[in-house]
Amino acid sequence: MGSRTAASAKTRQRILDATIKLHTQNGIFGTTWKDIATEADVAVGTVYKHFPTLDDLVPACGEVLMERLRPPSPESVTEIIGGATDSKERLHRVANELFAFYHRGGRHLESDLRERQLPAMREWEEYLRHMVAGFVREALAHDSPGDDVVQAISFLFDFPTFNAMRIRGMAVDLAVETATEMALCWLKGQGRTSTS
């Protein structure tokens, strides 16, 4: 890599790091290009040169964050569940993995209603919903859940549910136990599983 290319890559990374920091503190729409330039110690034009629009900047930040936060991949669900055979243990392992990711992500995973309208944010939230539903479906595979069951249980394992529990002072371990027990209680009430 030439010195000019290396310098450009370093500048780009400084812009991304500054943007992630500011978006976490102020939100996406609470951060200006001038704020980013000041934090990254570059000219505003340099920010625009690397990222002409918000639709260029937000996905690039998302890529950096996902490298740092390491979300569980849908392909890893079999490994996460391991040899567990009963629904309780399978759901517990799924909750543990997802909630550990949410805990690592913290404020980086939060977004407001306006931010959710950005294409990159909609795509990310759709990916998360699909991932959680896939994990829940696999955890309940022995019970042959339909889509209605998967959707009903998935909300207990979504980031907003985890975040609500954390805001109320619940430790991560207790949040895992609570989500698992609530899922099992609902399933039992619906006559969907015999797991106690």
Side-chain angles (χ1 to χ4, degrees):
M1 184 183 320
S3 62
R4 183 172 286 182
T5 304
S8 179
K10 282 184 178 182
T11 300
R12 182 180 193 278
Q13 190 60 52
R14 279 201 337 262
I15 293 168
L16 289 171
D17 291 340
T19 303
I20 290 167
K21 176 182 176 185
L22 292 168
H23 283 180
T24 301
Q25 291 173 350
N26 309 324
I28 293 171
F29 292 109
T31 302
T32 67
W33 295 98
K34 185 177 186 313
D35 296 335
I36 294 167
T38 300
E39 183 69 28
D41 195 27
V42 297
V44 173
T46 304
V47 176
Y48 278 109
K49 177 183 170 197
H50 286 272
F51 303 101
T53 68
L54 203 52
D55 288 335
D56 297 312
L57 182 59
V58 171
C61 289
E63 288 176 20
V64 170
L65 276 174
M66 290 311 99
E67 287 175 18
R68 292 178 185 169
L69 300 177
R70 305 169 322 280
S73 72
E75 297 79 28
S76 66
V77 68
T78 303
E79 181 182 327
I80 291 164
I81 291 173
T85 57
D86 74 319
S87 296
K88 180 176 183 174
E89 182 59 26
R90 293 168 69 88
L91 284 167
H92 185 273
R93 289 181 184 191
V94 163
N96 195 55
E97 186 72 23
L98 291 171
F99 288 11
F101 164 62
Y102 300 155
H103 185 65
R104 284 191 307 273
R107 293 209 49 217
H108 295 296
L109 298 177
E110 295 177 19
S111 59
D112 66 27
L113 291 173
R114 190 168 163 214
E115 291 170 351
R116 289 187 193 123
Q117 299 309 308
L118 293 168
M121 295 299 287
R122 285 196 312 261
E123 183 179 321
W124 166 245
E125 288 186 346
E126 180 62 28
Y127 170 81
L128 273 181
R129 280 191 297 274
H130 178 73
M131 178 185 69
V132 170
F135 278 38
V136 167
R137 184 177 305 284
E138 187 63 29
L140 298 174
H142 297 294
D143 299 312
S144 303
D147 288 342
D148 59 331
V149 172
V150 170
Q151 293 309 316
I153 299 300
S154 290
F155 93 91
L156 293 168
F157 296 83
D158 280 337
F159 174 72
T161 304
F162 168 81
N163 200 36
M165 288 191 261
R166 294 290 289 154
I167 288 169
R168 286 164 180 76
M170 210 177 271
V172 176
D173 291 348
L174 182 56
V176 167
E177 295 298 328
T178 302
T180 301
E181 291 299 328
M182 289 175 71
L184 291 168
C185 184
W186 186 87
L187 288 165
K188 191 172 183 179
Q190 297 294 310
R192 305 285 182 143
T193 185
S194 58
T195 302
S196 53

